[in-house]
Amino acid sequence: MSRQRSQHPMQTRSRKFEEVSLDENSEKILIDGRRNGGRLEENHIDAPSDSDSEMDENSKPDLKGDRHNIALLLFLYILQGIPLGLAGSVPMLLQSRQVSYHQQAVFSFVFWPFSVKLAWAPIVDAIYSKRMGRRKTWMVPSQYLIGIFMLFLSTKVDSLLGGDEDSPADVKTLTFFFFMLNFLAATQDIAVDGWALTMLSRRNVGWASTCNSVGQTAGYFLGYVLFLALESADFCNKYLRSEPHTEGIMTLAGFLYFWGIVFLVTTTIVWIFKREREPRPSEVPDEQHGIVSTYLHLWDVVRLPAVKAYAIILLTHKIGFAAADAVTGLKLIEKGVHRENLALLAVPLTPIQILLPLVISRYTAGPRPMDTFLKAMPFRLLMGVELAAMVFLTPYFRNDDGTFPLYYYIMIVASYSLHQVTLYSMFVSSMAFHAQISDPVIGGTYMTLLNTLSNLGGNWPSTFALWLVDDITWSRCEGVEGLTCGSADLNKACESAGGTCVTWLDGYYIECAACLVIGLIWLKLRANTVKQLQNKELSAWSASS
């Protein structure tokens, strides 16, 4: 159940919650259950027993025998969220070191593995060591490698971030390390999702999604919010210390070292003391047949005319939100808002993010969920304009001592809350539509394919928006003839010569305006296509007939 979360406009890269890529087995339950009038077939769940009596017993809600399993799953998902949270915090640190938006765009590739893990998910599911266990074969090495990468990175990260003008940040090397951390976390996610459905008894299998959601949220919170708070000297001096210091309680190197040790120790404990149950013969796929058939069936699905048309929708509908989602948080830091304060805004917003899907799902149930998608889109586009206005007005709220009043942060929370309503309206609608159209023959893989396309449709516009900001920003070097500004090197040259870089037209605002226009044009041209796709028979989405 890997989840790609919505992008926090006040963060460089958001928590991975917007696009949900469910595990193949759990998605099959959801899809087949809907298509059978809510009745779940026995063979749709990895149950620990085949007997009817045990099936009846397991159908009763009771945590007896599964409490330890639920606690273990929760912990594994917390571990999964740590690298993601740290990856979300690094752009905040880089922005404070005045890196260019080109460099921020390069680093944004670290968030792509969770969006494309469908490429290797069938391999993880099919190939394994019987001696080690189907899921531990991939989970244990992945977590060991995460721990090793963290320990090694802890010795290099200070120099990679760049401490002064003479040692600029090495963004490409940072991108490589955090990309690998997220790649390994995505692989761990595939393994743990599958293990969750066999670790828990049939009666408690629904707890897997709860562990996933709560665990990833907690892990991200630790790696992002808690780290940025403990790393901030201002926050620690104000709330945690009696005597001020020039540095926070925790550095990124120290945080990486601590969690590297945690990964190594806990992975060893799980490997030694937690056994996987032996799979039944029906649960053991033929290695080559399972992988090849899955990829071939995916290719048949992609060739369907309806899927081709919908793929274009998924890959393009988020262009209108790119500037607001990818750049807003960095611009707020540029305007003087402390990064730890932006991170702490996630605390009051978390309950909203949990409750919104439950409320909105009432309006997306039924045969036409994409109607809500289309209704919410123009409001989400307008929220991008509102967030740009907040960025523009931010300097006017700043106090003489560099702080911001409480009502300013209340305004940001209110703006983001409204933004979340529009975001989740589109998200829940698309997820309901995916559940309706997915072919039950490969239900989970089908939904993961659609969610992968949707995730990519959010990643590439965000990366492009970050890359373009510097190129379309209009600025000049005041006080020095013959010098210009516009990039980190040019700005440094101007300041070294005694000049001052003055921006008279920020590329961020140009992007926001362009995104609004592109989004409205997209809505005008593609709304009828979305409605037509929604009205198609289920046979148009099936490659098995």
Side-chain angles (χ1 to χ4, degrees), residues 7-41:
Q7 187 152 349
H8 192 317
M10 278 64 78
Q11 296 172 197
T12 304
R13 193 66 166 180
S14 92
R15 300 141 64 170
K16 57 181 191 106
F17 299 159
E18 181 173 354
E19 311 304 339
V20 178
S21 299
L22 299 172
D23 168 85
E24 178 173 353
N25 292 320
S26 58
E27 287 166 337
K28 192 171 183 359
I29 296 169
L30 169 64
I31 298 163
D32 292 357
R34 288 191 178 208
R35 295 195 178 194
N36 288 287
R39 177 176 57 86
L40 303 182
E41 303 295 342

PDB file of all heavy atoms in Angstrom, residues 7-41:
ATOM      1  N   GLN A   7       1.076  17.183  -2.057  1.00  0.00           N
ATOM      2  CA  GLN A   7       2.189  18.079  -1.833  1.00  0.00           C
ATOM      3  C   GLN A   7       1.769  19.258  -0.994  1.00  0.00           C
ATOM      4  O   GLN A   7       0.848  19.975  -1.292  1.00  0.00           O
ATOM      5  CB  GLN A   7       2.741  18.578  -3.159  1.00  0.00           C
ATOM      6  CG  GLN A   7       3.996  19.357  -2.942  1.00  0.00           C
ATOM      7  CD  GLN A   7       4.864  19.278  -4.142  1.00  0.00           C
ATOM      8  OE1 GLN A   7       4.629  18.500  -5.024  1.00  0.00           O
ATOM      9  NE2 GLN A   7       5.869  20.091  -4.182  1.00  0.00           N
ATOM     10  N   HIS A   8       2.458  19.417   0.095  1.00  0.00           N
ATOM     11  CA  HIS A   8       2.203  20.530   1.002  1.00  0.00           C
ATOM     12  C   HIS A   8       2.724  21.796   0.346  1.00  0.00           C
ATOM     13  O   HIS A   8       3.887  21.909   0.051  1.00  0.00           O
ATOM     14  CB  HIS A   8       2.962  20.255   2.300  1.00  0.00           C
ATOM     15  CG  HIS A   8       2.592  21.151   3.427  1.00  0.00           C
ATOM     16  ND1 HIS A   8       2.421  22.500   3.266  1.00  0.00           N
ATOM     17  CD2 HIS A   8       2.389  20.896   4.735  1.00  0.00           C
ATOM     18  CE1 HIS A   8       2.143  23.031   4.439  1.00  0.00           C
ATOM     19  NE2 HIS A   8       2.113  22.072   5.347  1.00  0.00           N
ATOM     20  N   PRO A   9       1.895  22.802   0.082  1.00  0.00           N
ATOM     21  CA  PRO A   9       2.373  24.018  -0.558  1.00  0.00           C
ATOM     22  C   PRO A   9       3.433  24.724   0.258  1.00  0.00           C
ATOM     23  O   PRO A   9       4.176  25.539  -0.264  1.00  0.00           O
ATOM     24  CB  PRO A   9       1.118  24.883  -0.666  1.00  0.00           C
ATOM     25  CG  PRO A   9      -0.002  23.945  -0.603  1.00  0.00           C
ATOM     26  CD  PRO A   9       0.454  22.818   0.279  1.00  0.00           C
ATOM     27  N   MET A  10       3.513  24.482   1.552  1.00  0.00           N
ATOM     28  CA  MET A  10       4.518  25.119   2.385  1.00  0.00           C
ATOM     29  C   MET A  10       5.755  24.241   2.538  1.00  0.00           C
ATOM     30  O   MET A  10       6.636  24.538   3.307  1.00  0.00           O
ATOM     31  CB  MET A  10       3.952  25.439   3.759  1.00  0.00           C
ATOM     32  CG  MET A  10       3.148  26.727   3.773  1.00  0.00           C
ATOM     33  SD  MET A  10       1.692  26.645   2.752  1.00  0.00           S
ATOM     34  CE  MET A  10       0.611  25.720   3.795  1.00  0.00           C
ATOM     35  N   GLN A  11       5.813  23.114   1.806  1.00  0.00           N
ATOM     36  CA  GLN A  11       6.970  22.254   1.848  1.00  0.00           C
ATOM     37  C   GLN A  11       7.536  22.133   0.441  1.00  0.00           C
ATOM     38  O   GLN A  11       6.843  22.334  -0.530  1.00  0.00           O
ATOM     39  CB  GLN A  11       6.591  20.845   2.344  1.00  0.00           C
ATOM     40  CG  GLN A  11       6.082  20.832   3.766  1.00  0.00           C
ATOM     41  CD  GLN A  11       5.535  19.505   4.153  1.00  0.00           C
ATOM     42  OE1 GLN A  11       4.830  19.393   5.113  1.00  0.00           O
ATOM     43  NE2 GLN A  11       5.843  18.470   3.400  1.00  0.00           N
ATOM     44  N   THR A  12       8.823  21.788   0.375  1.00  0.00           N
ATOM     45  CA  THR A  12       9.415  21.588  -0.935  1.00  0.00           C
ATOM     46  C   THR A  12       8.776  20.427  -1.643  1.00  0.00           C
ATOM     47  O   THR A  12       8.430  20.495  -2.789  1.00  0.00           O
ATOM     48  CB  THR A  12      10.891  21.246  -0.780  1.00  0.00           C
ATOM     49  OG1 THR A  12      11.490  22.273  -0.048  1.00  0.00           O
ATOM     50  CG2 THR A  12      11.535  21.109  -2.106  1.00  0.00           C
ATOM     51  N   ARG A  13       8.672  19.361  -0.944  1.00  0.00           N
ATOM     52  CA  ARG A  13       8.062  18.195  -1.521  1.00  0.00           C
ATOM     53  C   ARG A  13       7.168  17.619  -0.472  1.00  0.00           C
ATOM     54  O   ARG A  13       7.525  17.488   0.672  1.00  0.00           O
ATOM     55  CB  ARG A  13       9.127  17.178  -1.878  1.00  0.00           C
ATOM     56  CG  ARG A  13       8.590  16.107  -2.755  1.00  0.00           C
ATOM     57  CD  ARG A  13       8.192  16.648  -4.066  1.00  0.00           C
ATOM     58  NE  ARG A  13       7.977  15.602  -5.013  1.00  0.00           N
ATOM     59  CZ  ARG A  13       7.615  15.850  -6.230  1.00  0.00           C
ATOM     60  NH1 ARG A  13       7.465  17.069  -6.640  1.00  0.00           N
ATOM     61  NH2 ARG A  13       7.401  14.880  -7.070  1.00  0.00           N
ATOM     62  N   SER A  14       5.976  17.251  -0.848  1.00  0.00           N
ATOM     63  CA  SER A  14       5.075  16.898   0.184  1.00  0.00           C
ATOM     64  C   SER A  14       5.211  15.472   0.604  1.00  0.00           C
ATOM     65  O   SER A  14       5.969  14.693   0.078  1.00  0.00           O
ATOM     66  CB  SER A  14       3.687  17.150  -0.275  1.00  0.00           C
ATOM     67  OG  SER A  14       3.129  16.074  -0.832  1.00  0.00           O
ATOM     68  N   ARG A  15       4.480  15.168   1.617  1.00  0.00           N
ATOM     69  CA  ARG A  15       4.403  13.813   2.075  1.00  0.00           C
ATOM     70  C   ARG A  15       3.720  13.025   1.002  1.00  0.00           C
ATOM     71  O   ARG A  15       2.904  13.526   0.303  1.00  0.00           O
ATOM     72  CB  ARG A  15       3.589  13.793   3.347  1.00  0.00           C
ATOM     73  CG  ARG A  15       4.249  14.650   4.351  1.00  0.00           C
ATOM     74  CD  ARG A  15       3.270  15.395   5.125  1.00  0.00           C
ATOM     75  NE  ARG A  15       2.451  14.509   5.874  1.00  0.00           N
ATOM     76  CZ  ARG A  15       1.633  14.939   6.783  1.00  0.00           C
ATOM     77  NH1 ARG A  15       1.512  16.177   7.030  1.00  0.00           N
ATOM     78  NH2 ARG A  15       0.913  14.112   7.445  1.00  0.00           N
ATOM     79  N   LYS A  16       4.003  11.759   0.953  1.00  0.00           N
ATOM     80  CA  LYS A  16       3.628  11.012  -0.214  1.00  0.00           C
ATOM     81  C   LYS A  16       2.192  10.520  -0.144  1.00  0.00           C
ATOM     82  O   LYS A  16       1.911   9.376  -0.376  1.00  0.00           O
ATOM     83  CB  LYS A  16       4.568   9.848  -0.394  1.00  0.00           C
ATOM     84  CG  LYS A  16       4.592   8.965   0.790  1.00  0.00           C
ATOM     85  CD  LYS A  16       5.553   7.847   0.592  1.00  0.00           C
ATOM     86  CE  LYS A  16       5.386   6.855   1.647  1.00  0.00           C
ATOM     87  NZ  LYS A  16       4.770   5.671   1.314  1.00  0.00           N
ATOM     88  N   PHE A  17       1.248  11.399   0.143  1.00  0.00           N
ATOM     89  CA  PHE A  17      -0.078  10.887   0.434  1.00  0.00           C
ATOM     90  C   PHE A  17      -1.107  11.096  -0.658  1.00  0.00           C
ATOM     91  O   PHE A  17      -2.203  10.662  -0.513  1.00  0.00           O
ATOM     92  CB  PHE A  17      -0.654  11.541   1.682  1.00  0.00           C
ATOM     93  CG  PHE A  17       0.152  11.279   2.882  1.00  0.00           C
ATOM     94  CD1 PHE A  17       0.058  12.089   3.980  1.00  0.00           C
ATOM     95  CD2 PHE A  17       1.023  10.225   2.914  1.00  0.00           C
ATOM     96  CE1 PHE A  17       0.811  11.849   5.083  1.00  0.00           C
ATOM     97  CE2 PHE A  17       1.777   9.981   4.034  1.00  0.00           C
ATOM     98  CZ  PHE A  17       1.664  10.801   5.108  1.00  0.00           C
ATOM     99  N   GLU A  18      -0.823  11.843  -1.706  1.00  0.00           N
ATOM    100  CA  GLU A  18      -1.925  12.148  -2.612  1.00  0.00           C
ATOM    101  C   GLU A  18      -2.333  10.946  -3.439  1.00  0.00           C
ATOM    102  O   GLU A  18      -3.498  10.613  -3.532  1.00  0.00           O
ATOM    103  CB  GLU A  18      -1.557  13.288  -3.554  1.00  0.00           C
ATOM    104  CG  GLU A  18      -2.701  13.617  -4.457  1.00  0.00           C
ATOM    105  CD  GLU A  18      -2.433  14.848  -5.274  1.00  0.00           C
ATOM    106  OE1 GLU A  18      -1.422  15.506  -5.067  1.00  0.00           O
ATOM    107  OE2 GLU A  18      -3.271  15.130  -6.118  1.00  0.00           O
ATOM    108  N   GLU A  19      -1.387  10.277  -4.070  1.00  0.00           N
ATOM    109  CA  GLU A  19      -1.732   9.168  -4.941  1.00  0.00           C
ATOM    110  C   GLU A  19      -1.451   7.862  -4.218  1.00  0.00           C
ATOM    111  O   GLU A  19      -0.341   7.585  -3.830  1.00  0.00           O
ATOM    112  CB  GLU A  19      -0.927   9.233  -6.231  1.00  0.00           C
ATOM    113  CG  GLU A  19      -0.965  10.593  -6.886  1.00  0.00           C
ATOM    114  CD  GLU A  19      -2.358  11.077  -7.160  1.00  0.00           C
ATOM    115  OE1 GLU A  19      -3.283  10.258  -7.224  1.00  0.00           O
ATOM    116  OE2 GLU A  19      -2.535  12.270  -7.299  1.00  0.00           O
ATOM    117  N   VAL A  20      -2.457   7.044  -4.046  1.00  0.00           N
ATOM    118  CA  VAL A  20      -2.319   5.809  -3.284  1.00  0.00           C
ATOM    119  C   VAL A  20      -2.116   4.650  -4.250  1.00  0.00           C
ATOM    120  O   VAL A  20      -2.944   4.404  -5.108  1.00  0.00           O
ATOM    121  CB  VAL A  20      -3.578   5.551  -2.438  1.00  0.00           C
ATOM    122  CG1 VAL A  20      -3.450   4.250  -1.692  1.00  0.00           C
ATOM    123  CG2 VAL A  20      -3.790   6.687  -1.474  1.00  0.00           C
ATOM    124  N   SER A  21      -1.000   3.942  -4.126  1.00  0.00           N
ATOM    125  CA  SER A  21      -0.750   2.754  -4.930  1.00  0.00           C
ATOM    126  C   SER A  21      -0.917   1.540  -4.029  1.00  0.00           C
ATOM    127  O   SER A  21      -0.009   1.154  -3.322  1.00  0.00           O
ATOM    128  CB  SER A  21       0.660   2.801  -5.516  1.00  0.00           C
ATOM    129  OG  SER A  21       0.805   3.922  -6.341  1.00  0.00           O
ATOM    130  N   LEU A  22      -2.066   0.955  -4.059  1.00  0.00           N
ATOM    131  CA  LEU A  22      -2.372  -0.129  -3.141  1.00  0.00           C
ATOM    132  C   LEU A  22      -1.673  -1.410  -3.545  1.00  0.00           C
ATOM    133  O   LEU A  22      -1.321  -1.626  -4.689  1.00  0.00           O
ATOM    134  CB  LEU A  22      -3.883  -0.377  -3.121  1.00  0.00           C
ATOM    135  CG  LEU A  22      -4.736   0.808  -2.654  1.00  0.00           C
ATOM    136  CD1 LEU A  22      -6.196   0.474  -2.866  1.00  0.00           C
ATOM    137  CD2 LEU A  22      -4.473   1.100  -1.202  1.00  0.00           C
ATOM    138  N   ASP A  23      -1.466  -2.265  -2.554  1.00  0.00           N
ATOM    139  CA  ASP A  23      -0.886  -3.575  -2.807  1.00  0.00           C
ATOM    140  C   ASP A  23      -1.832  -4.400  -3.672  1.00  0.00           C
ATOM    141  O   ASP A  23      -3.038  -4.260  -3.622  1.00  0.00           O
ATOM    142  CB  ASP A  23      -0.676  -4.278  -1.459  1.00  0.00           C
ATOM    143  CG  ASP A  23      -0.345  -5.730  -1.629  1.00  0.00           C
ATOM    144  OD1 ASP A  23       0.833  -6.044  -1.827  1.00  0.00           O
ATOM    145  OD2 ASP A  23      -1.277  -6.538  -1.544  1.00  0.00           O
ATOM    146  N   GLU A  24      -1.251  -5.292  -4.470  1.00  0.00           N
ATOM    147  CA  GLU A  24      -2.048  -6.041  -5.435  1.00  0.00           C
ATOM    148  C   GLU A  24      -3.167  -6.827  -4.780  1.00  0.00           C
ATOM    149  O   GLU A  24      -4.303  -6.814  -5.231  1.00  0.00           O
ATOM    150  CB  GLU A  24      -1.135  -6.996  -6.208  1.00  0.00           C
ATOM    151  CG  GLU A  24      -1.902  -7.840  -7.203  1.00  0.00           C
ATOM    152  CD  GLU A  24      -0.976  -8.648  -8.085  1.00  0.00           C
ATOM    153  OE1 GLU A  24       0.242  -8.442  -8.008  1.00  0.00           O
ATOM    154  OE2 GLU A  24      -1.496  -9.489  -8.836  1.00  0.00           O
ATOM    155  N   ASN A  25      -2.881  -7.510  -3.689  1.00  0.00           N
ATOM    156  CA  ASN A  25      -3.921  -8.316  -3.043  1.00  0.00           C
ATOM    157  C   ASN A  25      -5.010  -7.463  -2.446  1.00  0.00           C
ATOM    158  O   ASN A  25      -6.196  -7.744  -2.578  1.00  0.00           O
ATOM    159  CB  ASN A  25      -3.283  -9.201  -1.964  1.00  0.00           C
ATOM    160  CG  ASN A  25      -2.391 -10.265  -2.563  1.00  0.00           C
ATOM    161  OD1 ASN A  25      -2.723 -10.846  -3.580  1.00  0.00           O
ATOM    162  ND2 ASN A  25      -1.250 -10.506  -1.933  1.00  0.00           N
ATOM    163  N   SER A  26      -4.618  -6.382  -1.752  1.00  0.00           N
ATOM    164  CA  SER A  26      -5.627  -5.546  -1.112  1.00  0.00           C
ATOM    165  C   SER A  26      -6.476  -4.836  -2.137  1.00  0.00           C
ATOM    166  O   SER A  26      -7.667  -4.627  -1.938  1.00  0.00           O
ATOM    167  CB  SER A  26      -4.961  -4.523  -0.183  1.00  0.00           C
ATOM    168  OG  SER A  26      -4.056  -3.715  -0.890  1.00  0.00           O
ATOM    169  N   GLU A  27      -5.872  -4.434  -3.287  1.00  0.00           N
ATOM    170  CA  GLU A  27      -6.654  -3.782  -4.325  1.00  0.00           C
ATOM    171  C   GLU A  27      -7.645  -4.760  -4.930  1.00  0.00           C
ATOM    172  O   GLU A  27      -8.777  -4.413  -5.259  1.00  0.00           O
ATOM    173  CB  GLU A  27      -5.715  -3.258  -5.413  1.00  0.00           C
ATOM    174  CG  GLU A  27      -4.941  -2.043  -4.944  1.00  0.00           C
ATOM    175  CD  GLU A  27      -3.782  -1.722  -5.860  1.00  0.00           C
ATOM    176  OE1 GLU A  27      -3.324  -2.642  -6.572  1.00  0.00           O
ATOM    177  OE2 GLU A  27      -3.340  -0.582  -5.867  1.00  0.00           O
ATOM    178  N   LYS A  28      -7.213  -6.010  -5.090  1.00  0.00           N
ATOM    179  CA  LYS A  28      -8.100  -7.013  -5.661  1.00  0.00           C
ATOM    180  C   LYS A  28      -9.318  -7.219  -4.771  1.00  0.00           C
ATOM    181  O   LYS A  28     -10.427  -7.395  -5.252  1.00  0.00           O
ATOM    182  CB  LYS A  28      -7.340  -8.320  -5.858  1.00  0.00           C
ATOM    183  CG  LYS A  28      -8.063  -9.343  -6.708  1.00  0.00           C
ATOM    184  CD  LYS A  28      -7.130 -10.487  -7.001  1.00  0.00           C
ATOM    185  CE  LYS A  28      -7.670 -11.546  -7.899  1.00  0.00           C
ATOM    186  NZ  LYS A  28      -8.959 -11.495  -8.409  1.00  0.00           N
ATOM    187  N   ILE A  29      -9.084  -7.163  -3.466  1.00  0.00           N
ATOM    188  CA  ILE A  29     -10.209  -7.263  -2.530  1.00  0.00           C
ATOM    189  C   ILE A  29     -11.181  -6.131  -2.761  1.00  0.00           C
ATOM    190  O   ILE A  29     -12.392  -6.323  -2.866  1.00  0.00           O
ATOM    191  CB  ILE A  29      -9.705  -7.233  -1.081  1.00  0.00           C
ATOM    192  CG1 ILE A  29      -8.836  -8.459  -0.804  1.00  0.00           C
ATOM    193  CG2 ILE A  29     -10.859  -7.182  -0.101  1.00  0.00           C
ATOM    194  CD1 ILE A  29      -8.091  -8.385   0.511  1.00  0.00           C
ATOM    195  N   LEU A  30     -10.654  -4.907  -2.853  1.00  0.00           N
ATOM    196  CA  LEU A  30     -11.495  -3.731  -3.021  1.00  0.00           C
ATOM    197  C   LEU A  30     -12.287  -3.809  -4.308  1.00  0.00           C
ATOM    198  O   LEU A  30     -13.496  -3.620  -4.335  1.00  0.00           O
ATOM    199  CB  LEU A  30     -10.616  -2.473  -3.028  1.00  0.00           C
ATOM    200  CG  LEU A  30     -11.297  -1.171  -3.450  1.00  0.00           C
ATOM    201  CD1 LEU A  30     -12.382  -0.814  -2.458  1.00  0.00           C
ATOM    202  CD2 LEU A  30     -10.276  -0.047  -3.562  1.00  0.00           C
ATOM    203  N   ILE A  31     -11.601  -4.133  -5.412  1.00  0.00           N
ATOM    204  CA  ILE A  31     -12.255  -4.116  -6.715  1.00  0.00           C
ATOM    205  C   ILE A  31     -13.265  -5.243  -6.833  1.00  0.00           C
ATOM    206  O   ILE A  31     -14.414  -5.044  -7.202  1.00  0.00           O
ATOM    207  CB  ILE A  31     -11.204  -4.234  -7.824  1.00  0.00           C
ATOM    208  CG1 ILE A  31     -10.264  -3.029  -7.745  1.00  0.00           C
ATOM    209  CG2 ILE A  31     -11.847  -4.296  -9.189  1.00  0.00           C
ATOM    210  CD1 ILE A  31      -8.981  -3.239  -8.488  1.00  0.00           C
ATOM    211  N   ASP A  32     -12.843  -6.455  -6.507  1.00  0.00           N
ATOM    212  CA  ASP A  32     -13.745  -7.590  -6.644  1.00  0.00           C
ATOM    213  C   ASP A  32     -14.912  -7.484  -5.684  1.00  0.00           C
ATOM    214  O   ASP A  32     -16.023  -7.912  -5.988  1.00  0.00           O
ATOM    215  CB  ASP A  32     -12.994  -8.892  -6.407  1.00  0.00           C
ATOM    216  CG  ASP A  32     -11.983  -9.156  -7.525  1.00  0.00           C
ATOM    217  OD1 ASP A  32     -11.954  -8.340  -8.454  1.00  0.00           O
ATOM    218  OD2 ASP A  32     -11.257 -10.160  -7.446  1.00  0.00           O
ATOM    219  N   GLY A  33     -14.662  -6.898  -4.502  1.00  0.00           N
ATOM    220  CA  GLY A  33     -15.749  -6.704  -3.559  1.00  0.00           C
ATOM    221  C   GLY A  33     -16.801  -5.779  -4.111  1.00  0.00           C
ATOM    222  O   GLY A  33     -18.003  -6.002  -3.957  1.00  0.00           O
ATOM    223  N   ARG A  34     -16.354  -4.707  -4.793  1.00  0.00           N
ATOM    224  CA  ARG A  34     -17.329  -3.783  -5.388  1.00  0.00           C
ATOM    225  C   ARG A  34     -18.114  -4.469  -6.494  1.00  0.00           C
ATOM    226  O   ARG A  34     -19.301  -4.260  -6.664  1.00  0.00           O
ATOM    227  CB  ARG A  34     -16.590  -2.567  -5.957  1.00  0.00           C
ATOM    228  CG  ARG A  34     -16.059  -1.638  -4.888  1.00  0.00           C
ATOM    229  CD  ARG A  34     -15.587  -0.361  -5.501  1.00  0.00           C
ATOM    230  NE  ARG A  34     -15.113   0.548  -4.461  1.00  0.00           N
ATOM    231  CZ  ARG A  34     -15.128   1.853  -4.560  1.00  0.00           C
ATOM    232  NH1 ARG A  34     -15.604   2.419  -5.631  1.00  0.00           N
ATOM    233  NH2 ARG A  34     -14.664   2.607  -3.597  1.00  0.00           N
ATOM    234  N   ARG A  35     -17.418  -5.269  -7.276  1.00  0.00           N
ATOM    235  CA  ARG A  35     -18.081  -5.860  -8.428  1.00  0.00           C
ATOM    236  C   ARG A  35     -18.962  -7.039  -8.036  1.00  0.00           C
ATOM    237  O   ARG A  35     -19.735  -7.524  -8.854  1.00  0.00           O
ATOM    238  CB  ARG A  35     -17.035  -6.310  -9.449  1.00  0.00           C
ATOM    239  CG  ARG A  35     -16.271  -5.113 -10.008  1.00  0.00           C
ATOM    240  CD  ARG A  35     -15.517  -5.486 -11.252  1.00  0.00           C
ATOM    241  NE  ARG A  35     -14.844  -4.317 -11.798  1.00  0.00           N
ATOM    242  CZ  ARG A  35     -14.330  -4.271 -13.017  1.00  0.00           C
ATOM    243  NH1 ARG A  35     -14.451  -5.288 -13.819  1.00  0.00           N
ATOM    244  NH2 ARG A  35     -13.711  -3.185 -13.453  1.00  0.00           N
ATOM    245  N   ASN A  36     -18.833  -7.522  -6.829  1.00  0.00           N
ATOM    246  CA  ASN A  36     -19.686  -8.605  -6.344  1.00  0.00           C
ATOM    247  C   ASN A  36     -20.674  -8.100  -5.309  1.00  0.00           C
ATOM    248  O   ASN A  36     -21.066  -8.828  -4.414  1.00  0.00           O
ATOM    249  CB  ASN A  36     -18.830  -9.730  -5.743  1.00  0.00           C
ATOM    250  CG  ASN A  36     -18.090 -10.523  -6.805  1.00  0.00           C
ATOM    251  OD1 ASN A  36     -18.695 -11.301  -7.524  1.00  0.00           O
ATOM    252  ND2 ASN A  36     -16.791 -10.297  -6.920  1.00  0.00           N
ATOM    253  N   GLY A  37     -21.009  -6.820  -5.425  1.00  0.00           N
ATOM    254  CA  GLY A  37     -21.991  -6.266  -4.509  1.00  0.00           C
ATOM    255  C   GLY A  37     -21.509  -6.176  -3.096  1.00  0.00           C
ATOM    256  O   GLY A  37     -22.285  -6.232  -2.152  1.00  0.00           O
ATOM    257  N   GLY A  38     -20.191  -6.038  -2.922  1.00  0.00           N
ATOM    258  CA  GLY A  38     -19.636  -5.914  -1.582  1.00  0.00           C
ATOM    259  C   GLY A  38     -19.284  -7.241  -0.960  1.00  0.00           C
ATOM    260  O   GLY A  38     -18.774  -7.306   0.139  1.00  0.00           O
ATOM    261  N   ARG A  39     -19.521  -8.354  -1.656  1.00  0.00           N
ATOM    262  CA  ARG A  39     -19.228  -9.668  -1.095  1.00  0.00           C
ATOM    263  C   ARG A  39     -17.815 -10.067  -1.486  1.00  0.00           C
ATOM    264  O   ARG A  39     -17.466 -10.159  -2.669  1.00  0.00           O
ATOM    265  CB  ARG A  39     -20.223 -10.709  -1.633  1.00  0.00           C
ATOM    266  CG  ARG A  39     -19.960 -12.120  -1.153  1.00  0.00           C
ATOM    267  CD  ARG A  39     -21.054 -13.053  -1.670  1.00  0.00           C
ATOM    268  NE  ARG A  39     -21.169 -13.020  -3.101  1.00  0.00           N
ATOM    269  CZ  ARG A  39     -20.438 -13.770  -3.915  1.00  0.00           C
ATOM    270  NH1 ARG A  39     -19.529 -14.571  -3.417  1.00  0.00           N
ATOM    271  NH2 ARG A  39     -20.610 -13.708  -5.223  1.00  0.00           N
ATOM    272  N   LEU A  40     -16.961 -10.335  -0.526  1.00  0.00           N
ATOM    273  CA  LEU A  40     -15.581 -10.707  -0.783  1.00  0.00           C
ATOM    274  C   LEU A  40     -15.451 -12.215  -0.889  1.00  0.00           C
ATOM    275  O   LEU A  40     -15.921 -12.960  -0.029  1.00  0.00           O
ATOM    276  CB  LEU A  40     -14.669 -10.178   0.333  1.00  0.00           C
ATOM    277  CG  LEU A  40     -14.730  -8.673   0.547  1.00  0.00           C
ATOM    278  CD1 LEU A  40     -13.731  -8.297   1.642  1.00  0.00           C
ATOM    279  CD2 LEU A  40     -14.427  -7.924  -0.725  1.00  0.00           C
ATOM    280  N   GLU A  41     -14.806 -12.654  -1.976  1.00  0.00           N
ATOM    281  CA  GLU A  41     -14.616 -14.086  -2.164  1.00  0.00           C
ATOM    282  C   GLU A  41     -13.465 -14.588  -1.292  1.00  0.00           C
ATOM    283  O   GLU A  41     -12.510 -13.866  -1.036  1.00  0.00           O
ATOM    284  CB  GLU A  41     -14.317 -14.382  -3.641  1.00  0.00           C
ATOM    285  CG  GLU A  41     -15.416 -13.884  -4.596  1.00  0.00           C
ATOM    286  CD  GLU A  41     -16.727 -14.605  -4.406  1.00  0.00           C
ATOM    287  OE1 GLU A  41     -16.714 -15.690  -3.807  1.00  0.00           O
ATOM    288  OE2 GLU A  41     -17.764 -14.083  -4.828  1.00  0.00           O
TER     289      GLU A  41
END
